[in-house]
Structures are given as C-alpha cells and as structure tokens.
Amino acid sequence: MILVCGEALIDLFVRASGGSDMSTHAVAGGSPFNVAVGLARLGVRTAFLGGISRDHFGAFLVDRLAREGVDGRFLVRTDRPSTISIVATADDGQPNYAFHGDSAADRSLQLAHLPGTLPDDIQALTFGSYSMAVEPVGTTFAALAQRERGRRVISVDPNVRPAVVGDMQGWAVAAERFYRTATMIKASDEDVRVAWGGRLSIADAAAYWLECGAHLVVVTEGAKGATAFSAAGSVSVPGRSAIVRDTVGAGDTFHAALLAQLARTGRLHPGAIAMLDLSEIRELLAYGTAAAAVTVSRDGADLPTAADIDWSTQPCLTE
C-alpha cells in the first residue's frame, strides 16, 4: 500500500461563455488527491491522509475517494471549510490557479492527528504541493516524513504553488524538510524555475536534491519528455505525441505512474530504488510519459488506468 499525504480540494474551472457570463464546473482536485486516484486506477492499494471538511464539498471528496477505491481510514474530518481552487485554462492548455483556502480543512492537520504507527503493508508515503509549506499541516507532514524515512519510500513532488505559499524564501525552508527525507523527488521544469527564480538549471537542482539524500530525481519537461538523475548517472526519454486538451493532472499522473511501476516490479523500497540502473530508470520514465500523454488528451485531471496506458504504448497499426 502507498499512503498519499496532502490536500484534497475543489477545482472550480471557469471559462468565459460570451457576453457578461462565465461558465463554471466543479471537480475534485488537489495534486495529492490526484496522485491517490491515479495510483488506485493503476491497481495499487492506496490510502489517503489529509484533513477534509464535513461540508458539502468535503462529503463529495470523501465519496469520490471511496468510489475510486482509495482507503479512507486515515482521513481527518473537520468543521473547517473546503479549499476552493479557481482554475482558468489558457489557450495553450496550461492552467492558472487562484486559491481560496485560508484556515481551510486541508491546512488544519496537526501532530495529534497522525497515526502513532503505520501498518506494515504501507511501503511508501508521498508528499507534495502546498501542504508541505502551509501550517500547521506542513510541520505535521514533515514530522511524519522524518519519522518514516529509511523504513519506507518517501516520494516528494514540490509542485510549487507561489499563489498559495506566498513567501518563496519561507517555502524553500519548509520544502527542504521534505527533501532531506526523500527517497525520490519528482518535479517539473517549472518547479525548478519558480523555486530558484531561474538561477538553477535542471541538472543543478537535481544535484542539490541528490545531495540532500534522494536516490532518484525525475524532472519532467512537458512535451519534451523527462530526465532522471541518480548515482548511476542521468537518462532522458522524449515526450509522447498527444493531442493536448489541457495539462491539468499531467504531473500527478507521472508521479503516480512512477510509483505504480516501482510497486509492480517489486522495487518500491529505498534500497531497491538506490540500486536502479539506467535501463531500469529509462523504463520508469517511458511508463510515466505514456501515462501523462493519456491524461493531457482528456479534459481535466482524468488519470488513466493501467489498460489505458498499455493501449497507448502499442504501435500504431495501418491497413
């Protein structure tokens, strides 16, 4: 089992519909929430740890997790409101976010809410996005990551959200708590650019993360593909051709696919990840890019099943 730790929220998609009107569409979201759903769809036993409101939106999120087959035993219900993320999609498919979540349920998790021990069948924990940096949940999750490091895989996706965390210097300090516990780090080229204000290259950022103790660092670059860095060296794969509807959830899909493939091949353990050779890492990247290509071809964060990815990786047949 993989325990996904972080926020579950409501993505409110808005589009101008002509004149003075605007159309809206509310869906379940949040980067960690997407990862949990993605893992479950890929056949991995998954649980979710996070604060979820008892309001109407929170009930919707809990029901959605249950319908996707995500274990809800670690959910912490609260009377605080659900976070609402306003998503406006640009012409190139890139989403722009505005968050309304001060004092919301997903930020309210405290140390007392953590389980005293985790079941032995939990092989990995994931952390990511703004729940690493806002309080008190950031300190709570950092304590959990520190407690479990070395015994289980710790996978981190910074998924930087400046509009939420505000103070980027404070964010950097908060995020490093997680980097120094991580077995693997998955990030995007945008994460690298935003986190360091363009001062570090992808290779420099990867070197920093490896120095922090990670065994595997993967950086995605959208249609250009992805590059991985480890003690064995670096390896890249190109992106897969796809008709892009939007890119919402693509990075979360990639993260889930990496973890699912590690689980499927019996490598979801800190020692096994440290021993991956470049050919094995290349296979991981290829699976992640194939999975992400499915998601970008769909509206919103509609993550693929294993069957979807298997189909997408078959060669095209012509008559």
Side-chain angles (χ1 to χ4, degrees), residues 130-172:
Y130 66 79
S131 57
M132 297 195 308
V134 297
E135 297 298 345
V137 64
T139 293
T140 299
F141 281 151
L144 179 61
Q146 179 64 39
R147 190 184 84 185
E148 301 297 329
R149 67 177 300 191
R151 293 190 289 175
R152 311 172 205 265
V153 170
I154 305 294
S155 186
V156 175
D157 178 0
N159 199 20
V160 184
R161 292 284 179 259
V164 183
V165 300
D167 175 15
M168 290 304 296
Q169 184 174 358
W171 179 88

Side-chain angles (χ1 to χ4, degrees), residues 18-286:
S20 59
D21 296 329
M22 182 174 289
S23 62
T24 62
H25 177 57
V27 300
S31 177
F33 178 93
N34 292 338
V35 171
V37 169
L39 285 167
R41 290 186 178 182
L42 293 174
V44 179
R45 292 177 57 236
T46 308
F48 190 87
L49 170 60
I52 296 186
S53 177
R54 294 190 182 94
D55 64 14
H56 177 75
F57 289 132
F60 173 70
L61 292 168
V62 171
D63 178 68
R64 174 68 188 284
L65 288 170
R67 285 190 288 110
E68 293 286 354
V70 177
D71 190 329
R73 80 181 93 162
F74 301 107
L75 298 179
V76 178
R77 304 301 298 275
T78 170
D79 290 330
R80 293 173 181 264
S82 297
T83 290
I84 307 296
S85 169
I86 309 298
V87 187
T89 305
D91 292 339
D92 62 358
Q94 293 290 335
N96 296 309
Y97 298 90
F99 290 86
H100 301 268
D102 288 347
S103 301
D106 55 2
R107 304 179 183 219
S108 66
L109 209 67
Q110 301 187 36
L111 291 172
H113 293 130
L114 293 178
T117 58
L118 295 177
D120 291 339
D121 61 348
I122 292 179
Q123 295 178 285
L125 294 84
T126 78
F127 301 91
S129 198
Y130 66 79
S131 57
M132 297 195 308
V134 297
E135 297 298 345
V137 64
T139 293
T140 299
F141 281 151
L144 179 61
Q146 179 64 39
R147 190 184 84 185
E148 301 297 329
R149 67 177 300 191
R151 293 190 289 175
R152 311 172 205 265
V153 170
I154 305 294
S155 186
V156 175
D157 178 0
N159 199 20
V160 184
R161 292 284 179 259
V164 183
V165 300
D167 175 15
M168 290 304 296
Q169 184 174 358
W171 179 88
V173 173
E176 186 160 337
R177 300 175 298 181
F178 293 88
Y179 299 154
R180 296 200 174 276
T181 68
T183 311
M184 55 183 282
I185 294 173
K186 176 268 159 196
S188 69
D189 55 346
E190 182 182 7
D191 290 329
V192 172
R193 179 182 58 79
V194 173
W196 284 283
R199 297 186 301 276
L200 291 189
S201 67
I202 288 173
D204 289 338
Y208 159 70
W209 282 323
L210 292 173
E211 184 179 334
C212 284
H215 297 319
L216 178 65
V217 173
V218 176
V219 180
T220 59
E221 298 182 78
K224 292 172 61 178
T227 302
F229 304 81
S230 73
S234 64
V235 60
S236 298
V237 300
R240 291 183 60 86
S241 177
I243 298 174
V244 178
R245 300 292 293 271
D246 64 50
T247 62
V248 177
D252 304 328
T253 301
F254 198 103
H255 192 188
L258 290 180
L259 291 164
Q261 190 70 351
L262 286 167
R264 186 178 295 117
T265 57
R267 297 186 177 96
L268 194 60
H269 184 274
I273 292 174
M275 296 299 292
L276 290 171
D277 62 33
L278 292 182
S279 64
E280 292 167 332
I281 295 172
R282 184 181 290 108
E283 290 179 2
L284 282 176
L285 297 184

